[in-house]
Each structure stands twice: as structure tokens, then as C-alpha cells.
Amino acid sequence: MSDIDFGHVPLVKVTRGDAVESVHYGAIAVVDSRGEVQGRAGSPEATAFLRSAAKPFQALPLLASGAADHFGISRSELAVIISSHSGEAMHLDAVRSVLRKAHLKEADLRCGAHPPFYRRAATALEQSGRRPTVLHNNCSGKHAGMLALAKFWRAPLRGYLAPSHAVQGAILKVLSIYTGATEAAILGGVDGCSAPTFALSLREVARGYARLVDPHFGSRDELEAAGRVVDAMRAHPAMVGGTGRLDSALMRSVGRSFIAKIGAEGFYGMAYRDGSRGIGIALKIADGNGDRARTTATVELLQQLGLLAPRKAETVLLSQGLPGLRNVRGRIVGRVAPLFRLA
Amino acid sequence: MSDIDFGHVPLVKVTRGDAVESVHYGAIAVVDSRGEVQGRAGSPEATAFLRSAAKPFQALPLLASGAADHFGISRSELAVIISSHSGEAMHLDAVRSVLRKAHLKEADLRCGAHPPFYRRAATALEQSGRRPTVLHNNCSGKHAGMLALAKFWRAPLRGYLAPSHAVQGAILKVLSIYTGATEAAILGGVDGCSAPTFALSLREVARGYARLVDPHFGSRDELEAAGRVVDAMRAHPAMVGGTGRLDSALMRSVGRSFIAKIGAEGFYGMAYRDGSRGIGIALKIADGNGDRARTTATVELLQQLGLLAPRKAETVLLSQGLPGLRNVRGRIVGRVAPLFRLA
């Protein structure tokens, strides 16, 4: 069975002293909005779940439907709806505001609770003796957005996570339009936050991302909705991630309408403008590593694409505790380094 | 650069809903004490650092030198010297006892401090307001053993972690004897606990493990030392790991003088008796995953070798929170499953 070809290649190595200790496999597709592969490492047909990288698409029906405007959702609130946030005060405030504007209650959110990603917020919460709530869940913005759309459509709030619910149907449809995959071809699963999630080829996901920033793709409503998603992410990078988070750091460092959205299990969706074209990127670390491997591969990729200068790349890596590998006493004992060149 | 062949193959898959979400690559070598490959997945020549899987070898000079007997080190204390322990009270007590018997101080240990692996112990320590000490470091037993040998040899205690120190020289020599690799061919690095660590091919590591349980390998002193290592690990599996730990669970579940020792970054060294032969196993998860991937691959491997019945395998997996993958609300949304068959 070992000879199944998943289309992955070595993307990142971890060295210790004189030898390579670990290797992270994966695949990358760089694709234009017509679906033409512009660059790759491994196979563009490798399959991956988008996980939270679906959030920019999941926000589109909220905008295209008119629900966001109806409830007066602001640009920074839109950013938190698209976010995998760190559970900092600014994120919780924004989610609370969305709930208030759409006449929703915290208890309507069915994402489950986990401690804030931001360590200081997690420690403060623990020391206060309070338990994490659904608001702290990194997906609480997305869930608030889904519920706001259900409210706007007068659809039932309970059951908003069922694939058969109107909100989820609209999301699947928009994902199909952007990625070019038929709805039937999009494989499904349940996400960490209990929402439907989607598996596609990297080529298809990258095409979807390309179309988000393509000034020519889609109807007028679709163009406006995608433009607002990109605009919100670019204007409020800290809302999309949080203090010290990679998404936030990269959107601050890269121009050309660049957007970046992580997904769990080592996934990354990105897009940027190349002249008047949209270019999308889908990256999957096969083993799901969302720290050293994804960060190292992404920063290398953006350098190879000419989007990130060496100096900025170094700053981003350092902000993520890379490339050095430290031991218990804080001594640097190894190094994380990229292994691929885009074909 | 992507076409470097590290000798890894897909060992474990993680599925979610309708699709494979993640894949863990790696390699496995099953080798007899002459170095003949008896089974493999991927290449037996794949390189890996032993990390804590070197501990059974690192304890040999302490025994062969007579130091362990001189200080009256007990069998359970020997087990903690070989351990990557969870920082539970029994482990701390055993390490303290070794230090006391060898007239050493806690401050002599240069491993650095980290919180106990055992969650309850870590929480209790945190709630007490005390900070982790070097004793809580999972390698504190190993360090106490190294210092005891330095003391016995009247070698300097400071600098006991330098590759040029007599204790480290003796360890490298014994590793060369057991693995069949020349000292010059053993690649070096600094471990998480600041001790020297070693990179070898999986075939060489597996041969070393095979020789630990081989009743015919080595001089009388070597045989006796190796026999005591195996005996200590088998008699005190909880000392080698701790509550809920894989090493401990497997040594309780598998007969035939089976020993198991994890190493960081997804490494695993194991050995068992096949009639009057010693058989050694070296397993490396390429990406360093020491939880779902290593556990799943190991349990599958032991089943394929006929060492673990399906029912016991299931019990071990369940004890490690596998094979189901749960989301934030505790719902099972995926599954971790092996992908290889030993060749």
C-alpha cells in the first residue's frame, strides 16, 4: 500500500547538528483565475481540505445577499467574520458587535469552546477562573456571519451547520463558482468548529483564490462582494489573525492586494494581483504541520514569487521563532529550511 | 531540489469525511542482530536521530563500568535512568534517589527545565505556584546516570555533556559496538536536553536494538549490562514512560522480552526476541509527529509482526485517543489509519 502517490514532495527539512532530522512533505499550486498552473511543487492535483481557508468564500453570501449591509456590519467586523482569530479582546468585541447588530445571542453559536490562541489571553482567562466560551473559538466570527445570514433570510437558526441549510447551500454554490469544481465534485467533511468543510485539488482552491482578487471575474455583485472581502482582510490584518500571527504579518508585509488565510492541518490559501490578473496559491503540508513547516514553505514561496524581499522574509521568520530550532535551555541546535523550487 | 529521495513512504493517513486530509511519511526497518533486514517500509537506509531512543545504550556504560552497583542503584532507578519520564512523583523520587546515592546535587543536572509531560502533574505544579525544575525534565534520569558515571570515574562533573567528556566517549563507543557503525560514521547533534545525540540509518539503529535482546551478542559484561537494561525496562514500564504513555502501555502488552523507547521527532526504537534471535525495530515519522502518526504506525507494525493481537492493539490505540479524530465539540469527524505493509 506504501506506493500510493499523493503528489507530495519534500518541501521543508529540519536539520540538527550534522544531519537532516525531519522532512515535511507537501504540495503547492500557483494558479491563475482561468485555472492555468503558473507554478507548482509536487502535484497541483493533490487533494486538501480548505478548513479555515474557506472563510473568505464562506463570507461571500453574507455580502452578496445584502445581509451585511442590512445589519450594518463594518469592515473590521467583516474581517473577524473571515478570521481564525486569536481570541483577543478586539476579536471578542467585534464578534459581540456582529451578534448584537444581527439580534443574535452567544448561545446561538454552535462552534464549541476552546482557549484563545493568543497565549496571554489564554493565561489571563485561566487566571480569572473563567472558562473559554464559544466567543473565544477562533471560528466564532465565521459562525456569527453564518447566523446573521440565516437571520436575514429568516431561515431557522438552529441547524445552521447542516449541509442542507440554506446558508450552507449558498456557501457550497459560491465555492463551486469560484473554484470551478462542480458542487458534486467537492468532497465534504465536518470541520473542527462543526461547520461543513470542503476538500478539493490544490489547483481548484488556488483558482478560487485567484478569482477573489481578479478584477474581471464574476457578476457585478460577485465582484463587489469579493472586493469587500479582500479589502477587509487587507485593512484589518490583525482582525483576520491576531498578535504575532502569520496571516497578519504577511498581509502587512506583501503588497499587490495580497491576502492570506491559514487552514488547519497545514493548509494555506493566498492570492495576489499580477498586473490585471488574479493569481491564487494553495499550499498543503501533508502531515498537517501548521507551524515550522507551513511558515518556512510559505515564506520561501513568496520569495520565489518575488512578493517578499529577503529582509522582510527574515523578519517574518524571526517573528514566528524561525529558522532556528531551540532546545530546552534555549540553545539553537538546528534549523528549519526549505527544500523546493517552484516548477 | 524537490526530488531528493529520503527513503520515506506514506505510513499513516488521516481521513475527514469523504477524503484523505493528511498523510504522514516515514520509514521502518526490522533487522536482526547481524544487520539483516527482516522487514521494511520505505528505505532501511533512511537516516534518523535516535534522540531519547538512545537512552538504553546511554545507560550501558553505567552498568558495564560497575558504577551502578558501586552506588547501589536499584532496578527501578535504572528504569528511570533509561526513561523519558512524565515528571510524576514516582519519577522525581527515583531521580532524587539516584542523585543521593551518587552524592550529586540537583544543580549538577544541566538538562534544563520543562513542565512535566503528565498533565495532572503539570497542572498541580502550576497551581502550587512553583516552577518546573531540572528534575521535571523528562531526561533527568539520564542526566543523573551520566553524572553518576562521571562521579564513579572521578571525571569532572561540569562539562559532562561535552562530546569530549569520558562519559560521552564511552557512550559513543558502546553505540558503535551495538549498531555496527564506526564512531566516525555516527553523525552528531545536540539533543533537546543538551546531551549529545546521534544520527544513523534505521538499519543500524535497529541492529543496535536487536543486539540489546540478543542472548549471544557481546562480551560477558556487555551481555549482563544489556540484560539488566531490558530487565529494568520490562519490570518497570511506568518508570520508563509514565501514566498513559505509549512505551509503558506497549511493554505491558507485548511479551517476548519486548522493549520500546520513544525518541523525539517521531522516532521509535524497539526490540524483541524471536526464538534465540534478537530482532530490532527502528521507526521514523519523517515529519516528527510523535502522537497520532507514530502511535498508529507502531501499533500496526506490531500487529503485522504478530506481537500484538487485534484486541490489545485496539485497547492501546484507545488509550492514546485513537483512531478517532475529535473536533472542538468532541464529535468524531475523522480517523487515523495505517497505509503500509511491511516488505
Side-chain angles (χ1 to χ4, degrees), chain B residues 210-329:
Chain B
R211 288 174 169 178
L212 284 175
V213 298
D214 188 310
H216 306 297
F217 178 78
S219 68
R220 194 164 140 174
D221 283 356
E222 284 164 352
L223 261 173
E224 199 219 330
R228 287 173 72 180
V229 161
V230 173
D231 188 41
M233 294 175 77
R234 301 266 324 155
H236 300 284
M239 222 33 131
V240 176
T243 303
R245 295 280 301 281
L246 185 63
D247 283 347
S248 313
L250 289 178
M251 287 193 282
R252 281 194 202 98
S253 304
V254 182
R256 295 166 68 180
S257 301
F258 176 81
I259 55 167
K261 186 70 205 68
I262 55 150
E265 290 282 335
F267 192 80
Y268 217 166
M270 290 168 274
Y272 65 99
R273 283 236 183 117
D274 181 30
S276 68
R277 287 197 308 171
I279 303 287
I281 304 170
L283 177 153
K284 167 74 181 176
I285 302 298
D287 57 75
N289 184 293
D291 298 316
R292 66 186 189 188
R294 178 171 57 197
T295 302
T296 301
T298 300
V299 168
E300 170 68 16
L301 171 68
L302 295 178
Q303 284 189 89
Q304 289 187 24
L305 291 170
L307 294 170
L308 201 56
R311 194 129 184 191
K312 277 194 177 173
E314 197 182 352
T315 307
V316 171
L317 284 180
L318 282 174
S319 77
Q320 305 299 307
L322 291 167
L325 195 72
R326 290 178 189 275
N327 77 357
V328 173
R329 276 165 56 193

Side-chain angles (χ1 to χ4, degrees), chain B residues 197-221:
Chain B
T197 184
F198 317 98
L200 286 159
S201 72
L202 296 182
R203 190 177 47 75
E204 291 164 324
V205 182
R207 174 162 54 180
Y209 264 84
R211 288 174 169 178
L212 284 175
V213 298
D214 188 310
H216 306 297
F217 178 78
S219 68
R220 194 164 140 174
D221 283 356

Side-chain angles (χ1 to χ4, degrees), chain A residues 16-42:
Chain A
R16 179 179 297 266
D18 302 328
V20 173
E21 174 158 36
S22 295
V23 179
H24 294 278
Y25 292 74
I28 301 170
V30 183
V31 174
D32 67 22
S33 58
R34 291 172 309 165
E36 301 284 329
V37 176
Q38 305 295 313
R40 61 176 188 83

